[in-house]
Amino acid sequence: MSKYLLNKFLFMVDRDPELVERYRSEPRELVAWWEAECANTVLNCHTGEASTWLRFDDVEREALATHDHVKLFELGAHPFLTLTLFIALFERDNTEPLEYQKSFGARLAHFSMPYPDIAT
C-alpha cells in the first residue's frame, strides 16, 4: 500500500481537466492508464527521471476505479485531495449549494478518533 501513490494520483488528476473528465467517464480505464504511464514519473523533474517500482495494490486500484472516497480515506489518502477532485467530478450532479460536500462528509461520519493516518 502506498499513501504517497494514492495522493499523487489524486493530485495529478485533479489538476488536469481532461483527466478529470476521463476519470469521471471511464474510471477503471483511467486508473490503469495512469498507473502504467504516470505512476513512476518524478513530479517537477525532466522527463528522463522515473522510478520503476510504484504500483497500486488491488484494494487501492479498486477504490480508485469505483470512486470510493470512504475506502480511500480508510487507506490514508489525504481527505483534502480526495474532496477537491471529487467536487470536480460530482458537484455538477447536485442541485443544492454544498449538497455534494455534505454527502461526502456524511459518508465519512462513522469514523471516530483516531482517524486513519494520512502521513506519507
Side-chain angles (χ1 to χ4, degrees), residues 43-55:
L43 296 179
N44 300 318
C45 192
H46 60 82
T47 57
E49 294 293 327
S51 178
T52 58
W53 61 274
L54 293 171
R55 64 186 48 87

Side-chain angles (χ1 to χ4, degrees):
M1 183 179 83
S2 172
K3 290 183 272 187
Y4 168 78
L5 194 58
L6 286 174
N7 289 333
K8 183 178 179 181
F9 175 89
L10 298 169
F11 177 84
M12 288 181 71
V13 172
D14 190 34
R15 276 139 190 84
D16 185 326
E18 281 186 30
L19 293 181
V20 169
E21 293 309 312
R22 284 180 59 194
Y23 188 42
R24 178 180 163 91
S25 64
E26 49 187 39
R28 195 167 300 281
E29 293 81 0
L30 184 273
V31 171
W33 172 84
W34 188 91
E35 187 174 13
E37 300 297 324
C38 301
N40 285 295
T41 61
V42 179
L43 296 179
N44 300 318
C45 192
H46 60 82
T47 57
E49 294 293 327
S51 178
T52 58
W53 61 274
L54 293 171
R55 64 186 48 87
F56 296 122
D57 66 26
D58 292 339
V59 174
E60 294 167 331
R61 197 175 294 110
E62 187 63 18
L64 289 168
T66 58
H67 297 142
D68 188 347
H69 76 269
V70 176
K71 179 54 104 177
L72 291 170
F73 182 70
E74 183 181 303
L75 293 170
H78 198 286
F80 178 78
L81 294 173
T82 307
L83 178 60
T84 57
L85 174 56
F86 280 47
I87 287 171
L89 293 169
F90 302 118
E91 185 175 47
R92 67 186 95 168
D93 299 332
N94 297 275
T95 57
E96 297 294 319
L98 299 176
E99 183 178 359
Y100 180 74
Q101 291 85 332
K102 290 176 183 176
S103 172
F104 184 98
R107 290 189 56 211
L108 296 173
H110 67 281
F111 286 98
S112 59
M113 298 289 276
Y115 295 131
D117 182 13
I118 61 171
T120 54

